[in-house]
Amino acid sequence: MTKHLRIDLDELSKELLTMGAMVEEATNRAINALVRRDKNLAREVIAVDDAINDHENRIEDHALKMLALHQPVAADLRYIITVLKVNNDLERIGDHAVAIAERAVVLAGLEPVPRPEDFDLLVQTVQRMMKESLTALIEHDAALARSVCEMDDEVDRVHRLMYSAMQTVMRNDVALIESAVNTISATRHLERIGDLATNIAEDVVFMVEGEILRHNY
Amino acid sequence: MNRLLRSRFLWELYAGYAFIIVATAIVVGLMLVHDAERGVTDDIRDALQRDAILVRDIAAPFVDAPPDSAFELRIRALGARTGVRYTVIAADGRVLADSNEDPAAMDNHRDRPEIMAAANNGMGTSTRFSRTVAANSMYLAIPVMKQGVLAGFVRTSETLEAISARRAAVRRSVGLAMLLPVLAALVLGLLVARSFTQPLINMTDAARAVAGGQEAPRLHVQRPDEIGELADALNAMTEQLHNQLDTMAADRNKTLAILAGMVEGVVAVDRDERVVHANAAAQAILGIDARTALGRRIWEVMRVVEVSDSLGEAMRQNRVRVSEVRIPTPLKDQVIQLTATPLRNGADQIDGAVVVLHDVSELRQLESVRRDFVANISHELKTPLTAIRGLVETILDDRQMDRDTHDRFIEKIRDQSTRLGNLVSDLLTLSRLESGPGGLRFEAMDLRETVAESVRTQTHVAETKRVDLHLGVPERAVTIEGDSEAMRELVDNLVSNAIKYTPSGGRVDVKLVAESGSAVLEVADTGIGIPPEEQGRVFERFYRVDKARSRQLGGTGLGLSIVKHVALAHGGSVSLKSASGRGSTFRVQLGLKPGETPRREGFAVSQ
């Protein structure tokens, strides 16, 4: 492998991990804004989305240039393709974080709904999936990536519980319908973040083992 | 010893020496053997010649005579006695007598080499196989002359077995004579070589151990020569190195201890942004583990973009970079100030960077509290002032105002100015308490009096509001060291708050007890209570659970803050138990004056 490719790959890793850190932070902030009913924090998340999108474009540009310039093969090729895919997933997680933040802005101005305990579990699981899928990417750890894929079942289960919990809230108190609908919407975005984290984990397995895991779960 | 035998130096040193010794011994031995062997042959030939000369005299009369059996017998007897073979031969080659053989059965000897040589030169020798004795033999022949005419030959011979035996004996003794000194020299040489090699091996071991960073034993080489000096130098070097290593280790430990003990997080990276060091505080702030993070890229091990950015920029721009980052944590965001400084090596090149993470969350929190306080106080002061100004302006504008309205306005002005006065005096009390214990006069005081006095002055308010006010104090004095005025404020605030927030028909219990070294004042009401999430904040200045209601009730928002500060200034504490709608119980705990602690049974009745 040429030295230039090595340097470029390092640079690409750094950019991707920076992107990962930005998105993870945005997600955590959006969740905090939602839980703390903090409008200002939510607006900060919405404001940072442009930076995330710019970063996505930069990474894609860089990765495509590398493909054209170095014409990498085998593991390097897999790595660059994984970077492109993960990059895309991260950008979409960023979009969902913004969506959660928008719900948080709306919810902060509404009567609070009683928060089911399962909500904290959902938040924790999604945050853990985000964190561990990125860790698996950095460490090239296929085992950790597979465990992230398995966590998605838990997210789906809790998500369904949230639906029925919110239905009960609405049935009991008509005044809370708007809050409950927004809460469901935020939960739905959280669930989607879990799915995208699973995608990243699958991409990591592909990168490490060359095996395509998608749609097997 | 094994190491010694495998030592190249030993064998290089010893091989030449051993070769010279062995080669010399072999050469000298061979020369000696050669000389000795020649001597043996010469001796035998001389003996044979002597014998031949003697036999010639005996044989002279018979050589030209016909065969004589007596002569024959005589020769045979002679041979038997000396062990030498004698042969007497006529000039024409016929054998006349022989000590070992019947002459009649023998060939003509004229063509024998020794005979031919003797006929020509006067003497002849030959060494060859003898069929007669079936062995290698040496022959010597001399002519027998009569009046200058060749009359016959006398030949003597001896088998070479005798010669070989003597030669072997000579070789053996020469060999033995050489072997002993050679062995001695070889052993001695080995010892000498060893005495050079062994210290060198020891020194090599020691040097290798030092190079490997291990503890090296002191070398004991007592030699006056260069090897001894080398050992001494090596010892000195080892010791010096050890001292330096110890100093370095101590320095390093000190530095690590300082770094570990720092509240600020410190992360150092090298030129490639790989983590070189991360102290405990940094690990906690960034959520990393130094054991796995060391040697890896900083942006791989943690997800705070600003940290790696500031390190990278500090290196690229070669300047100190200060920035601030908010790290979201579930409860509240941590505000971290980052100071990234490039590190330069000896050649003044940038060799890495270090970032100091300073947790300024509390500082920022205090700043916001101060900002809030200034905003609050301005608001609190402005509200009554606006009201007063409005009332005064109305009175000034409306000259025809009727007496009743006029009086009502004046009363309102009085109420607002009283409120303003309360606010200012509360603020003064707070600032006095905050300026430290210097503003307080501590003296022994009976807390019972303060509590009773406070309850007495507020009985009227309670009665007006139809709130049941109860007081319970022990029989014995509850003596504390305190500022009576501040204590009075504390009790007043608690009691008036309790009455204020308790609706008509409610009940307020003021209870003072002394237990295990502390005085405990409990003020319990059956009022509106405080929701759990607000309980932590009610002691903050200007914090009101319900702003509208509090102001309506004439509160300044400073009462509980004063309670807390008075308790703290007296080394005590305040706690709160409350539930929404079920009243609140404030509990103030203060230390009793030492020596005044009542025995337990002394106040049991009062409870």
Side-chain angles (χ1 to χ4, degrees):
Chain A
M1 176 191 323
T2 64
K3 200 180 160 197
H4 290 293
L5 178 57
R6 180 86 309 215
I7 292 170
D8 268 359
L9 280 173
D10 267 2
E11 190 61 33
L12 192 66
S13 300
K14 184 179 176 177
E15 281 175 357
L16 185 70
L17 292 177
T18 305
M19 173 87 174
M22 284 165 83
V23 170
E24 193 181 355
E25 195 180 313
T27 310
N28 289 345
R29 273 178 196 279
I31 291 171
N32 284 348
L34 187 69
V35 173
R36 289 187 221 153
R37 302 165 57 76
D38 186 339
K39 272 187 200 174
N40 293 333
L41 193 56
R43 294 209 175 94
E44 278 178 34
V45 176
I46 297 167
V48 92
D49 191 45
D50 284 345
I52 291 178
N53 292 343
D54 284 352
H55 210 87
E56 189 214 0
N57 291 341
R58 198 155 60 232
I59 291 174
E60 193 169 316
D61 204 36
H62 193 174
L64 290 175
K65 261 186 202 150
M66 282 177 69
L67 285 177
L69 191 64
H70 298 290
Q71 306 195 339
V73 291
D76 294 332
L77 180 63
R78 282 214 301 274
Y79 182 71
I80 294 173
I81 289 173
T82 307
V83 168
L84 278 168
K85 290 203 271 190
V86 169
N87 184 37
N88 193 21
D89 288 341
L90 284 174
E91 193 273 333
R92 282 164 64 197
I93 292 179
D95 288 346
H96 286 294
V98 168
I100 292 174
E102 282 165 359
R103 292 307 103 207
V105 173
V106 174
L107 278 168
L110 295 173
E111 192 72 10
V113 280
R115 203 165 64 219
E117 317 161 7
D118 288 328
F119 182 77
D120 290 340
L121 182 62
L122 182 68
V123 164
Q124 279 160 19
T125 314
V126 169
Q127 279 177 332
R128 214 175 122 209
M129 285 174 76
M130 273 283 316
K131 189 173 157 65
E132 293 191 354
S133 63
L134 288 176
T135 307
L137 177 70
I138 296 163
E139 313 273 345
H140 291 223
D141 185 343
L144 185 63
R146 282 175 198 276
S147 79
V148 171
C149 297
E150 279 157 23
M151 270 187 252
D152 198 39
D153 294 343
E154 176 76 359
V155 170
D156 291 345
R157 188 184 65 80
V158 179
H159 181 228
R160 279 194 297 276
L161 285 178
M162 283 295 297
Y163 256 102
S164 47
M166 285 303 120
Q167 275 167 7
T168 315
V169 167
M170 287 188 264
R171 214 170 283 133
N172 291 347
D173 191 346
V174 182
L176 287 179
I177 284 183
E178 203 180 347
S179 301
V181 167
N182 277 298
T183 307
I184 285 181
S185 168
T187 316
R188 165 90 187 127
H189 287 297
L190 268 180
E191 190 265 340
R192 286 295 298 145
I193 290 179
D195 289 347
L196 290 167
T198 310
N199 272 6
I200 294 177
E202 284 166 358
D203 292 343
V204 171
V205 174
F206 164 73
M207 176 180 75
V208 177
E209 298 178 354
E211 182 193 342
I212 294 178
L213 258 199
R214 212 161 340 139
H215 313 315
N216 286 358
Y217 276 82
Chain B
M1 200 62 207
N2 242 355
R3 288 278 318 278
L4 192 68
L5 289 179
R6 277 189 277 113
S7 154
R8 282 181 60 104
F9 181 70
L10 177 78
W11 294 117
E12 280 169 7
L13 195 69
Y14 185 54
Y17 171 81
F19 176 75
I20 290 171
I21 287 178
V22 172
T24 310
I26 287 171
V27 169
V28 169
L30 284 177
M31 281 164 67
L32 280 177
V33 166
H34 185 72
D35 268 8
E37 277 180 356
R38 216 173 43 212
V40 167
T41 316
D42 286 354
D43 281 355
I44 290 172
R45 205 184 41 232
D46 286 353
L48 285 176
Q49 195 176 1
R50 263 196 312 276
D51 281 5
I53 290 166
L54 286 174
V55 172
R56 182 170 63 181
D57 289 349
I58 298 165
F62 302 101
V63 284
D64 45 0
D68 183 338
S69 61
F71 169 66
E72 225 174 284
L73 279 173
R74 194 168 165 198
I75 290 297
R76 194 176 284 271
L78 208 59
R81 267 207 301 283
T82 58
V84 178
R85 182 182 168 196
Y86 303 106
T87 316
V88 181
I89 301 158
D92 57 1
R94 275 179 305 111
V95 177
L96 298 175
D98 191 282
S99 56
N100 288 28
E101 190 85 7
D102 180 12
M106 293 173 74
D107 300 335
N108 189 304
H109 273 44
R110 181 63 210 189
D111 57 346
R112 296 294 194 275
E114 67 272 12
I115 303 297
M116 288 198 292
N120 296 335
N121 305 331
M123 193 179 83
T125 56
S126 164
T127 305
R128 59 191 151 78
F129 188 78
S130 155
R131 256 178 289 121
T132 319
V133 293
N136 270 326
S137 301
M138 181 188 239
Y139 297 95
L140 184 137
I142 53 172
V144 182
M145 309 293 278
K146 277 192 173 164
Q147 287 96 39
V149 178
L150 181 72
F153 304 94
V154 168
R155 190 182 75 169
T156 54
S157 91
E158 198 162 356
T159 60
L160 283 180
E161 256 112 56
I163 298 171
S164 312
R166 286 196 55 189
R167 276 184 179 175
V170 165
R171 276 191 204 133
R172 214 167 25 247
S173 36
V174 167
L176 270 177
M178 297 308 296
L179 192 66
L180 283 173
V182 163
L183 279 179
L186 286 178
V187 169
L188 203 68
L190 194 60
L191 290 176
V192 169
R194 208 194 106 175
S195 77
F196 281 98
T197 313
Q198 190 62 52
L200 281 177
I201 287 176
N202 292 347
M203 280 188 263
T204 311
D205 285 349
R208 212 169 266 155
V210 171
Q214 294 158 356
E215 184 92 7
R218 223 189 129 69
L219 291 166
H220 295 285
V221 179
Q222 300 297 333
R223 293 176 69 109
D225 57 6
E226 283 82 354
I227 290 182
E229 281 175 30
L230 180 61
D232 288 345
L234 208 62
N235 274 335
M237 194 184 81
T238 309
E239 203 168 310
Q240 179 74 11
L241 210 60
H242 261 285
N243 289 342
Q244 279 182 8
L245 283 176
D246 285 350
T247 318
M248 276 164 66
D251 278 355
R252 195 180 142 74
N253 285 341
K254 221 183 292 169
T255 314
L256 284 180
I258 291 171
L259 283 173
M262 275 173 72
V263 182
E264 286 84 10
V266 178
V267 179
V269 296
D270 66 9
R271 216 172 340 182
D272 295 331
E273 300 191 350
R274 288 180 199 281
V275 179
V276 179
H277 182 81
N279 71 352
Q283 291 173 42
I285 292 172
L286 298 175
I288 58 177
D289 185 349
R291 280 167 301 179
T292 55
L294 280 189
R296 306 198 35 197
R297 310 287 178 107
I298 179 77
W299 36 267
E300 280 182 13
V301 295
M302 53 101 228
R303 308 275 169 74
V304 185
V305 180
E306 185 61 29
V307 172
S308 54
D309 278 0
S310 66
L311 282 168
E313 247 172 69
M315 277 194 272
R316 269 195 301 280
Q317 302 177 352
N318 192 11
R319 63 179 182 89
V320 178
R321 187 175 181 282
V322 182
S323 56
E324 219 169 83
V325 62
R326 285 200 5 225
I327 301 177
T329 60
L331 278 178
K332 55 180 188 179
D333 289 356
Q334 252 181 323
V335 185
I336 307 290
Q337 193 181 59
L338 305 172
T339 311
T341 314
L343 295 174
R344 293 185 188 84
N345 63 10
D348 209 31
Q349 288 161 325
I350 292 176
D351 207 23
V354 62
V355 64
V356 177
L357 306 137
H358 188 190
D359 188 344
V360 291
S361 317
E362 220 160 288
L363 202 66
R364 294 287 172 270
Q365 168 82 18
L366 284 177
E367 277 172 9
S368 89
V369 164
R370 204 192 55 207
R371 262 199 312 273
D372 289 353
F373 179 67
V374 173
N376 278 328
I377 203 166
S378 314
H379 180 74
E380 295 291 335
L381 290 171
K382 210 177 158 193
T383 314
L385 279 175
T386 314
I388 290 171
R389 197 170 56 205
L391 292 163
V392 169
E393 275 169 4
T394 314
I395 293 171
L396 283 177
D397 285 355
D398 190 357
R399 293 290 174 185
Q400 277 84 43
M401 185 183 280
D402 63 86
R403 191 73 206 163
D404 281 355
T405 317
H406 187 266
D407 284 354
R408 220 172 57 235
F409 276 24
I410 295 291
E411 252 172 53
K412 276 192 178 161
I413 291 173
R414 190 193 57 199
D415 288 350
Q416 293 295 340
S417 54
T418 309
R419 195 175 143 197
L420 213 50
N422 287 342
L423 189 63
V424 171
S425 76
D426 275 359
L427 279 174
L428 284 175
T429 310
L430 259 185
S431 103
R432 192 158 59 98
L433 289 167
E434 280 190 342
S435 62
L440 297 170
R441 282 195 324 276
F442 285 95
E443 55 194 9
M445 55 177 286
D446 188 353
L447 207 51
R448 287 187 311 169
E449 288 171 15
T450 316
V451 174
E453 171 69 16
S454 171
V455 168
R456 198 159 49 241
T457 54
Q458 308 215 35
T459 312
H460 177 67
V461 187
E463 275 170 5
T464 322
K465 221 187 151 186
R466 291 198 294 109
V467 168
D468 247 351
L469 182 58
H470 289 268
L471 171 66
V473 290
E475 286 170 356
R476 294 177 63 129
V478 180
T479 313
I480 62 160
E481 283 272 349
D483 181 318
S484 54
E485 205 178 316
M487 263 317 141
R488 176 72 194 276
E489 291 258 13
L490 182 149
V491 182
D492 275 356
N493 271 307
L494 282 179
V495 175
S496 69
N497 261 359
I499 296 169
K500 224 178 276 174
Y501 292 102
T502 304
S504 290
R507 179 190 165 97
V508 171
D509 274 296
V510 180
K511 191 168 74 179
L512 177 68
V513 294
E515 53 178 41
S516 51
S518 46
V520 176
L521 172 70
E522 273 188 1
V523 180
D525 63 49
T526 58
I528 53 173
I530 302 166
E533 60 266 30
E534 311 275 8
Q535 288 180 9
R537 302 196 60 187
V538 291
F539 294 101
E540 284 177 22
R541 282 177 296 200
F542 294 120
Y543 189 81
R544 292 178 170 104
V545 176
D546 186 333
K547 293 188 169 62
R549 180 153 46 185
S550 165
R551 232 173 254 136
Q552 186 194 336
L553 292 169
T556 57
L558 293 172
L560 283 176
S561 186
I562 291 173
V563 169
K564 183 180 143 195
H565 274 95
V566 171
L568 290 181
H570 286 76
S573 63
V574 190
S575 59
L576 161 63
K577 258 191 300 204
S578 178
S580 248
R582 268 182 284 158
S584 325
T585 304
F586 285 88
R587 182 185 157 97
V588 179
Q589 193 160 5
L590 297 162
L592 282 173
K593 187 176 191 292
E596 302 279 336
T597 311
R599 290 191 310 279
R600 240 182 184 288
E601 62 272 20
F603 61 95
V605 274
S606 67
Q607 296 194 326

